[in-house]
Amino acid sequence: MTKTDTPVLHLKDASLTLNSNTGPVRILQGIDLDVQQGETLGLIGPSGSGKSSLLMVMGGLELATGGTVHALGQDLTAMNEDALARFRRQNMGVVFQSFHLIPTMTALENVATPLELAGHRDAFDRAQVELEAVGLGHRSEHFPAQLSGGEQQRVALARALAPRPSILLADEPTGNLDESNGEAIMDLLFGLRDRYGATLVMVTHAPELARRCDRVVRLRDGQIATELSTSEAAE
Ligand SMILES: Nc1ncnc2c1ncn2[C@@H]1O[C@H](COP(=O)(O)OP(=O)(O)OP(=O)(O)O)[C@@H](O)[C@H]1O
Ligand SMILES: [Mg+2]
């Protein structure tokens, strides 16, 4: 992968306003943010401050209602649903806060699906290796409902990491894990950056994870409150 000066993610005055039954809710406003290739960015901030929403906007899973959002030089706000889905399939891995595993598929099938969509003939063999990497080789035939929260989280991580995306967006990826599993997962996440030059954006409450990020942005009330060096963020 060659390095370029164009940021991998470029948000300019991005905002998100959603309609609810009580009227419009301003969820994000005035977000200016660039993330460079190979950079790891941590997103922190109190509950409800907009961390998950910002991650969704970066992935085109929520379309910004104002401003612009570019990923790999492409304007996500100008793409239709199909183009966005294709773009994500080719370039992005997303780990949702609530995992979003497909309940009718086994762990193995969940991880193999994006590999199959990407045309890998050995999708199931690769998926098994990915599950082993998150310590779940022995759970491959289990359905999500038969797995603990931390195990589901690890399956979701395996699924996101398996296609080696150039951008990984992860919402509290170690949120349900004990210390040793959390560390193993952090090593896998940072390994994607170290080995493949991927760009990582991670929402986290964990100081250990924030400390390992190159840069940390703190949100408050849907706005960027501060940009911190990682040593400050970990305090
Ligand atoms: N579909 C929606 N309609 C209206 N308001 C919403 C919607 N989705 C999220 N919100 C509101 O947007 C705000 C930001 O939510 P978000 O999920 O991004 O917060 P967060 O920082 O990820 O919080 P947490 O740490 O609890 O996960 C919250 O006040 C939430 O209630
Ligand atoms: Mg959230």
Side-chain angles (χ1 to χ4, degrees), residues 107-128:
L108 187 70
E109 289 165 343
N110 266 285
V111 179
T113 297
L115 294 170
E116 284 191 302
L117 288 171
H120 293 284
R121 292 226 183 107
D122 57 348
F124 281 82
D125 292 341
R126 282 184 53 166
Q128 181 65 33

Side-chain angles (χ1 to χ4, degrees), residues 66-85:
T68 53
V69 178
H70 285 80
L72 299 170
Q74 300 205 46
D75 184 355
L76 298 186
T77 49
M79 286 188 203
N80 64 27
E81 286 286 326
D82 283 353
L84 274 170

Side-chain angles (χ1 to χ4, degrees), residues 47-48 50-53 97 171-172 203 205:
S47 178
K51 304 178 298 294
S52 296
S53 304
Q97 193 165 7
D171 204 339
E172 302 193 26
V203 173
H205 288 287

Side-chain angles (χ1 to χ4, degrees), residues 191-219:
L192 188 71
R193 190 265 313 261
D194 296 341
R195 283 199 228 149
Y196 302 98
T199 305
L200 313 180
V201 182
M202 293 176 287
V203 173
T204 189
H205 288 287
E208 313 82 67
L209 184 52
R211 204 177 298 127
R212 283 178 69 168
C213 291
D214 298 319
R215 192 155 58 102
V216 173
V217 161
R218 186 193 301 275
L219 292 182

